[in-house]
Amino acid sequence: MAAGPGASQDKPPQNQPAKDTPAKDASGKDASAKSAAGKTEEDGKWLDADGNPTYNISADGKVDWYTYSGFRRYHSECHVCHGPEGEGSTYAPGLINSLKTITYPEFQEVVASGRTVTRPDKTSVMPALGDNVNVMCYLDDIYVYLKARADGALPRGQRPQRGVEKPETAIQNEKSCLGL
């Protein structure tokens, strides 16, 4: 399921170069890079081998823009129910263990459409957030932050340090998604 109208993964970057022309960053270097782990970077956004958004943490511990943004967005919209750092609360389950097994499309579906889980001791209801632009416009970001936490790449109790400035593509996608 698509993440929703205007979500960053639904919007192609403006003024995207032709497929056979490598994108260039401000210094004139090829803006697409492939890491040893099979991750690809394009306009500041990292994708895994399957094309799903993922995080990038440099050797000095600094995170890419989208992981940093995901930390901020998670703590402004999600932690009230799911607890700090995705660890859970008495109200809603932690997301760290879920992100170890759930796929990105499944994550999109649950966030956008919600779901109800009934257990012998209680029923949990995740509301549909598909019409909440403060979530859907940043769904990739929230996912990569939680994925970094689930993979153990971003330790608990550590505020991520941003390694790069906000990419122009992120600025344009945000404006488009928010209708600015």
Side-chain angles (χ1 to χ4, degrees), residues 22-81:
K24 303 290 181 188
D25 66 14
S27 68
K29 294 179 185 173
D30 184 353
S32 297
K34 189 158 187 147
S35 74
K39 297 189 297 188
T40 303
E41 185 268 338
E42 192 171 307
D43 295 327
K45 181 173 269 191
W46 288 85
L47 304 171
D48 67 16
D50 295 324
N52 296 314
T54 193
Y55 56 89
N56 189 60
I57 302 175
S58 62
D60 64 2
K62 293 182 179 176
V63 300
D64 63 283
W65 169 260
Y66 295 95
T67 304
Y68 176 75
S69 173
F71 165 81
R72 293 174 53 224
R73 296 297 171 171
Y74 174 85
H75 286 88
S76 71
E77 295 292 326
C78 311
H79 95 271
V80 172
C81 294

Side-chain angles (χ1 to χ4, degrees), residues 63-180:
V63 300
D64 63 283
W65 169 260
Y66 295 95
T67 304
Y68 176 75
S69 173
F71 165 81
R72 293 174 53 224
R73 296 297 171 171
Y74 174 85
H75 286 88
S76 71
E77 295 292 326
C78 311
H79 95 271
V80 172
C81 294
H82 292 285
E85 302 173 324
E87 292 288 336
S89 70
T90 57
Y91 186 72
L95 300 174
I96 302 307
N97 285 334
S98 295
L99 266 285
K100 291 178 182 177
T101 59
I102 194 172
T103 65
Y104 180 62
E106 291 168 332
F107 176 80
Q108 290 176 305
E109 175 71 28
V110 171
V111 173
S113 302
R115 81 173 171 190
T116 301
V117 176
T118 303
R119 295 184 183 94
D121 59 333
K122 70 176 182 175
T123 298
S124 298
V125 178
M126 166 72 183
L129 299 173
D131 60 353
N132 182 337
V133 294
N134 291 314
V135 172
M136 297 311 292
C137 290
Y138 307 98
L139 193 59
D140 287 1
D141 308 13
I142 294 167
Y143 176 79
V144 298
Y145 164 68
L146 289 170
K147 188 68 175 149
R149 290 277 300 118
D151 291 350
L154 195 57
R156 184 164 191 188
Q158 179 179 333
R159 179 183 175 95
Q161 297 300 308
R162 178 178 51 155
V164 295
E165 293 300 315
K166 188 174 189 176
E168 183 61 33
T169 302
I171 294 168
Q172 295 307 315
N173 286 340
E174 181 177 60
K175 286 180 180 178
S176 175
C177 186
L178 295 174
L180 303 175

